[in-house]
Amino acid sequence: MDIIQDLKDRGLVNQITDEEGLRKHLEEHAVTLYCGFDPTADSLHIGHLVPLLMLKRFQRAGHRPIALVGGGTGMIGDPSGRNTERQLNEENTVRAWSEGLKEQVKRVLNTNENEADVIPADNYDWLSSMNIIEFLRDIGKHFGVNYMLAKDSVESRIENGISFTEFSYMILQSLDFLTLYKEKGCTLQIGGSDQWGNITAGLELIRRTSEDGEDARAFGLTVPLITKADGTKFGKTAGGAVWLDPEKTSPYEFYQFWINTDDRDVIKFMKYFTFLKQDEVSELEKEVETQPEKRVAQKRLAEEMTNLIHGKEALAQAQRISEALFSGDIKSLNGAEIEQGFKDVPSFTLEEQEKGLIDLLVEAKISSSKRQAREDISNGAVYVNGERQQDLKYTVTSEDKIDGKFTIIRRGKKKYFLIRHNS
């Protein structure tokens, strides 16, 4: 397949250092390529997915991906795309985060026995063993200060100030490319659009230091910055970032993020994040245009992404929770699904075995007063585990517990409350 054309058709190419040369290189060889991921947190988030899935696209096309975790550069901090200095983290923290990221990357990339396994790498392995004299004499001498100052990642920070530590990041990432070029035969680096300066600096270092000199065959490719039609930042929700770690963002929340995609963005995201062929994407685009209320494209996007990151069982669970909440069939859910589906709703711990519904509504601050509680119940605005309850004398008992732990109360159309039972 012509992978470069496929990437262009999907809108995934921002810049290529030598498009004609790279096309020929990819046609002639099973190319080794890499993308780096610095451990700035204990999990990757969906902002990392485009470059991560770029590795997978090349993997599917018969090439060999290296997922480089920046255990070394993660202790320095990349100035790219930032207005201020990053806070430095403790070495043991960065090392722990690095191990977690390696596992996440492997889960995404090592899924098909017919494809080349991802090659794990950690730049801590070579950066931590290099002494300062070696670094300055063998690597630093190849970088002119004027050349570095002209790079966007540095130039944009000059006015507000940049430390020598972050200023040196470009050199360290360039050394990564050189090391992988020499030791793994890696000839292509990919990254986000903000990495262009670091990538081209690495290519320059390879040309200056390799035996092939100007004939060294190495390339760079960047993907565009993801933007949303409504102007908000991609990957952010009211609760914060959307993480790949299911403990930080549950599969249900992950599924809901994608299913809530704006009609104006869904086809673009389908091209960016899924492996669906163009003809299938075109059919989904017609659905968006003719029957947007059915949200067929959003459902397909949510299915593809949740299955890719969390697997079939987690996808099925997320779909069960979504269907139960939509239909009101709360009792069909188990305790684990209740925990996921109602993770962010207000909760109240009930100590007693039984509680009158009016008193519970007031104590849990679902209704502002007993008078309001009576009105809410009488008006049919209160639901217990999905069933409307208009009995003013109703008592919540053990029969209302789901998995012996939870009762879900809804007031109005969308205001849910989680009652946790201690007894």
Side-chain angles (χ1 to χ4, degrees), residues 362-402:
V362 176
E363 290 183 23
K365 297 183 179 179
I366 299 171
S367 298
S368 57
S369 65
K370 287 190 176 183
R371 177 181 175 181
Q372 184 64 55
R374 292 189 189 96
E375 286 186 15
D376 291 337
I377 295 171
S378 298
N379 293 335
V382 174
Y383 295 75
V384 177
N385 292 335
E387 297 178 359
R388 178 177 280 157
Q389 185 52 252
Q390 292 182 276
D391 181 0
L392 293 173
K393 296 182 179 180
Y394 189 82
T395 299
V396 174
T397 68
S398 59
E399 293 184 4
D400 295 304
K401 295 180 184 179
I402 298 175

Side-chain angles (χ1 to χ4, degrees), residues 39-243:
T40 55
D42 58 356
S43 170
L44 296 175
H45 54 72
I46 59 172
H48 294 105
L49 275 179
V50 169
L52 180 59
L53 295 179
M54 283 284 280
L55 288 180
K56 194 168 185 67
R57 293 185 197 283
F58 278 93
Q59 182 187 40
R60 286 188 164 196
H63 304 290
R64 297 183 296 266
I66 297 175
L68 176 69
V69 172
T73 47
M75 287 191 281
I76 301 300
D78 184 358
S80 302
R82 291 183 62 88
N83 297 320
T84 58
E85 193 93 0
R86 290 180 184 271
Q87 180 179 346
L88 297 180
N89 295 300
E90 296 293 332
E91 181 174 349
N92 61 344
T93 299
V94 176
R95 298 303 298 153
W97 289 352
S98 295
E99 293 307 311
L101 264 58
K102 290 174 189 176
E103 291 303 313
Q104 285 186 331
V105 168
K106 282 194 290 185
R107 281 199 298 273
V108 174
L109 294 176
N110 287 346
T111 56
N112 191 325
E113 60 184 18
N114 296 320
E115 298 166 351
D117 282 345
V118 61
I119 302 170
D122 188 336
N123 61 20
Y124 183 87
D125 294 342
W126 53 85
L127 294 180
S128 63
S129 61
M130 177 174 280
N131 64 52
I132 188 65
I133 301 298
E134 181 185 0
F135 173 72
L136 293 175
R137 282 179 57 88
D138 298 343
I139 305 301
K141 68 179 181 179
H142 296 292
F143 289 84
V145 172
N146 289 342
Y147 172 82
M148 296 176 69
L149 289 174
K151 296 294 185 180
D152 288 343
S153 60
V154 174
E155 185 181 27
S156 62
R157 288 282 299 280
I158 293 298
E159 186 175 340
N160 294 328
I162 183 172
S163 69
F164 177 76
T165 299
E166 286 200 349
F167 183 65
S168 68
Y169 186 93
M170 181 190 306
I171 304 178
L172 298 179
Q173 185 168 322
S174 299
L175 177 56
D176 291 343
F177 201 173
L178 176 63
T179 301
L180 295 175
Y181 176 84
K182 287 182 174 180
E183 296 183 1
K184 305 291 185 182
C186 178
T187 53
L188 172 63
Q189 181 183 173
I190 63 175
S193 57
D194 61 343
Q195 294 300 307
W196 181 250
N198 292 333
I199 291 173
T200 53
L203 292 171
E204 185 65 21
L205 180 61
I206 289 172
R207 293 190 183 96
R208 285 173 174 266
T209 59
S210 73
E211 295 178 357
D212 299 324
E214 291 298 321
D215 295 325
R217 301 194 74 186
F219 306 88
L221 183 156
T222 62
V223 297
L225 177 70
I226 304 175
T227 56
K228 291 176 68 175
D230 63 5
T232 59
K233 190 172 182 180
F234 172 77
K236 293 289 186 180
T237 66
V242 180
W243 302 95

Side-chain angles (χ1 to χ4, degrees), residues 219-352:
F219 306 88
L221 183 156
T222 62
V223 297
L225 177 70
I226 304 175
T227 56
K228 291 176 68 175
D230 63 5
T232 59
K233 190 172 182 180
F234 172 77
K236 293 289 186 180
T237 66
V242 180
W243 302 95
L244 303 194
D245 183 344
E247 297 299 320
K248 294 170 73 71
T249 298
S250 72
Y252 167 72
E253 293 172 302
F254 190 83
Y255 179 85
Q256 285 296 311
F257 171 82
W258 296 105
I259 212 165
N260 288 323
T261 300
D262 192 304
D263 287 345
R264 295 169 293 175
D265 291 322
V266 66
I267 297 304
K268 178 174 69 174
F269 290 175
M270 195 79 71
K271 292 177 180 179
Y272 279 9
F273 296 104
T274 77
F275 294 87
L276 299 181
K277 293 183 178 179
Q278 187 58 45
D279 56 351
E280 191 169 356
V281 174
S282 296
E283 287 299 316
L284 289 166
E285 189 169 14
K286 291 177 184 176
E287 293 279 358
V288 175
E289 293 170 355
T290 59
Q291 303 182 89
E293 71 282 357
K294 291 189 174 181
R295 302 187 71 78
V296 174
Q298 282 88 344
K299 290 176 183 177
R300 185 61 188 278
L301 176 63
E303 289 170 5
E304 291 289 324
M305 297 311 300
T306 308
N307 182 47
L308 176 68
I309 302 302
H310 297 298
K312 291 181 179 179
E313 288 186 14
L315 168 60
Q317 186 180 59
Q319 289 173 321
R320 282 197 303 273
I321 297 171
S322 299
E323 179 58 31
L325 294 182
F326 179 78
S327 66
D329 185 18
I330 305 297
K331 289 183 177 180
S332 67
L333 300 176
N334 60 38
E337 291 165 346
I338 291 289
E339 289 273 22
Q340 278 198 56
F342 297 92
K343 178 181 176 182
D344 295 321
V345 307
S347 65
F348 175 77
T349 300
L350 181 61
E351 302 292 346
E352 296 95 330

